[in-house]
């Protein structure tokens, strides 16, 4: 089962500020600083496996104090999908709406039955990608203000990392597009969904909540949705989603609210799992942009 979300948003014009002319630093003397150009680098390796790659989109005039980091994790039921799913209008729209962010679009190892890349391979890959970016902040000229974003299985991995790991960097906020949050109830939800069941079985190594309850708890973001561990979270969910039921999102929302963690729940009652239409994607970004502005300082 391959889950894709296409961000078909209107691309905003990014205004690049020109530098002072050579020999004028704006203060009456000395050479002007050399402006930093925008750059895009595809398939940067953060590990040795062919799937441990990321695409790196760096904005112009970035600095280690002002440029925030957005790490995007693709969906695909943990068994499919690719960072290329975001290419084109999707990545262009995110960069246009969040021009002060460097965007890192991450691939990870996919699970395959009977025993290839079972969990926590995907969790460890996201963790390794975050650590790679953090350790190369000076090279990329980015700050330590990190945000996670993902859809479906990617949102599950983004949430899990954001809540579970506090070092080497505490994630400032997470954007969750209809991500699984409680793996035990996902197992029950997939009882009549053979494709979803296959993805979950491949991920969890054929274990069940009964045979390995600890495994299911440790892979569930709701386990770590606590006052001290969780970070500000915006949750976006379609009401007719039969791949990740809305109860997955409301369970997380309620747990965060109980823990007094800043959260926003955006509900589209008539929408499925995806892809969403252009108007909805625009509305979603209209809500994400101010949420991040308020919570990532």
């Amino acid at each position: 089962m391959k889950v894709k979300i296409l961000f078909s948003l209107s691309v905003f014009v990014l205004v690049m500020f020109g530098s002072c002319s050579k020999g004028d630093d704006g203060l009456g003397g000395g050479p002007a600083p050399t402006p930093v150009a925008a750059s895009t680098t595809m398939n940067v390796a953060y590990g040795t496996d062919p799937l441990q790659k990321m695409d790196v989109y760096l904005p112009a005039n970035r600095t280690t104090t002002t440029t925030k980091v957005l790490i995007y994790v693709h969906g695909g039921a943990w068994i499919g999908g690719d960072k290329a799913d975001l290419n084109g209008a999707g990545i262009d729209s995110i960069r246009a709406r969040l021009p002060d962010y460097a965007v890192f679009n991450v691939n990870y190892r996919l699970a395959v039955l009977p025993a290839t890349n079972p969990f926590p391979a995907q969790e460890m890959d996201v963790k390794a990608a975050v650590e790679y970016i953090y350790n190369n902040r000076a090279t990329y000229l980015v700050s330590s203000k990190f945000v996670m974003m993902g859809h479906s299985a990617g949102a599950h991995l983004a949430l899990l990392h954001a809540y579970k790991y506090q070092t080497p960097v505490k994630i400032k906020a997470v954007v969750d597009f209809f991500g699984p949050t409680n793996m035990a109830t996902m197992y029950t939800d997939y009882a009549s969904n053979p494709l979803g069941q296959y993805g979950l079985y491949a991920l969890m190594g054929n274990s069940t909540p009964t045979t390995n309850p600890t495994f299911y708890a440790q892979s569930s973001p709701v386990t770590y949705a606590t006052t001290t561990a969780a970070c500000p979270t915006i949750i976006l969910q379609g009401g007719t989603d039969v791949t990740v039921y809305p109860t997955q999102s409301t369970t997380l929302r309620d747990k965060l609210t109980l823990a007094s963690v800043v959260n926003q729940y955006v509900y589209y009652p008539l929408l499925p799992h995806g892809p969403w239409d252009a108007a909805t994607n625009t509305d979603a970004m209209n809500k994400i942009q101010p949420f991040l502005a308020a919570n990532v300082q």
Side-chain angles (χ1 to χ4, degrees):
M1 177 180 65
K2 181 174 181 178
V3 181
K4 292 175 65 177
I5 181 169
L6 303 178
F7 290 88
S8 302
L9 308 179
S10 299
V11 178
F12 282 44
V13 176
L14 301 181
V15 180
M16 299 309 205
F17 294 95
S19 64
C20 300
S21 61
K22 185 175 181 181
D24 181 6
D25 62 2
L27 299 175
T34 302
V36 180
S39 72
T40 296
T41 309
M42 311 299 281
N43 294 314
V44 174
Y46 66 87
T48 57
D49 189 276
L51 281 173
Q52 292 172 324
K53 300 280 180 65
M54 64 175 75
D55 297 338
V56 179
Y57 302 87
L58 302 175
N61 302 320
R62 60 193 176 275
T63 74
T64 56
T65 56
T66 62
T67 302
K68 301 165 186 140
V69 169
L70 187 146
I71 301 169
Y72 197 96
V73 190
H74 71 79
W78 307 284
I79 59 174
D82 190 271
K83 59 184 173 60
D85 297 343
L86 194 65
N87 285 349
I91 194 70
D92 289 344
S93 298
I94 291 175
R95 295 175 68 198
R97 296 295 292 270
L98 301 172
D100 54 340
Y101 279 79
V103 180
F104 296 79
N105 186 17
V106 176
N107 262 359
Y108 51 90
R109 286 171 291 170
L110 303 174
V112 181
L113 283 174
T116 302
N117 299 329
F119 192 83
Q122 300 74 27
E123 176 187 339
M124 293 298 100
D125 283 359
V126 172
K127 183 175 183 289
V130 171
E131 291 173 350
Y132 176 88
I133 298 164
Y134 182 82
N135 291 335
N136 286 279
R137 298 185 320 285
T139 300
Y140 288 130
L141 294 176
V142 298
S143 74
S144 57
K145 299 171 184 176
F146 281 34
V147 170
M148 306 291 296
M149 179 187 286
H151 68 274
S152 194
H156 161 256
L157 296 172
L159 287 165
L160 191 63
H161 181 89
Y163 297 172
K164 195 171 184 177
Y165 295 101
Q166 313 300 308
T167 58
V169 60
K170 171 62 178 168
I171 303 301
K172 295 286 188 181
V174 60
V175 180
D176 162 25
F177 282 93
F178 41 82
T181 66
N182 185 318
M183 301 305 279
T185 57
M186 283 294 293
Y187 181 88
T188 303
D189 292 346
Y190 278 158
S192 59
N193 183 337
L195 287 175
Q197 197 173 68
Y198 177 90
L200 190 63
Y201 281 169
L203 181 75
M204 305 302 280
N206 276 323
S207 69
T208 72
T210 301
T211 61
N212 199 341
T214 300
F215 196 39
Y216 274 75
Q218 290 176 346
S219 59
S220 296
V222 292
T223 302
Y224 306 95
T226 66
T227 303
T228 55
C231 60
T233 304
I234 181 167
I235 305 165
L236 302 104
Q237 176 69 51
T240 63
D241 192 337
V242 294
T243 301
V244 177
Y245 292 167
T247 50
Q248 291 289 320
S249 289
T250 56
T251 296
L252 177 61
R253 175 201 63 190
D254 294 346
K255 184 82 179 287
L256 292 171
T257 300
L258 185 64
S260 298
V261 177
V262 173
N263 70 90
Q264 181 178 345
Y265 181 58
V266 182
Y267 183 64
Y268 299 105
L270 302 180
L271 289 185
H273 193 66
W276 288 351
D277 58 84
T280 304
N281 287 325
T282 298
D283 184 76
M285 287 303 296
N286 286 344
K287 292 176 170 61
I288 292 167
Q289 193 173 15
F291 183 87
L292 295 182
N295 292 287
V296 184
Q297 305 294 332

